[in-house]
Amino acid sequence: MNVRFPLLCLLATLLLSRPTESAVVVRMGTLAPSGSSWELILRRMGVEWGQSTDGELRLRIYAGGTVGDE
């Protein structure tokens, strides 16, 4: 029992001190043409997401079907 407690403390310290991701990037593909009002609305939404999460969530938009249509 004397050996288990320090090992459990060490394991708990290692698990709790794991580095976290600095930012999450959400990638969104859309068929809306670049420069259209739909794309601008999506970009504005991405800016609002970034502001409300202090930059921890970012939205990357691929407009005009650049990623494909299916």
Side-chain angles (χ1 to χ4, degrees), residues 32-40 43 63-64:
S34 296
S36 67
S37 60
W38 298 293
E39 189 222 0
L40 296 176
R43 291 206 184 274

Side-chain angles (χ1 to χ4, degrees), residues 25-39:
V25 178
V26 176
R27 293 173 178 91
M28 178 185 291
T30 179
L31 293 176
S34 296
S36 67
S37 60
W38 298 293
E39 189 222 0

Side-chain angles (χ1 to χ4, degrees), residues 31-52:
L31 293 176
S34 296
S36 67
S37 60
W38 298 293
E39 189 222 0
L40 296 176
I41 289 170
L42 290 174
R43 291 206 184 274
R44 190 175 312 136
M45 181 179 69
V47 169
E48 290 174 5
W49 285 3
Q51 290 173 347
S52 65

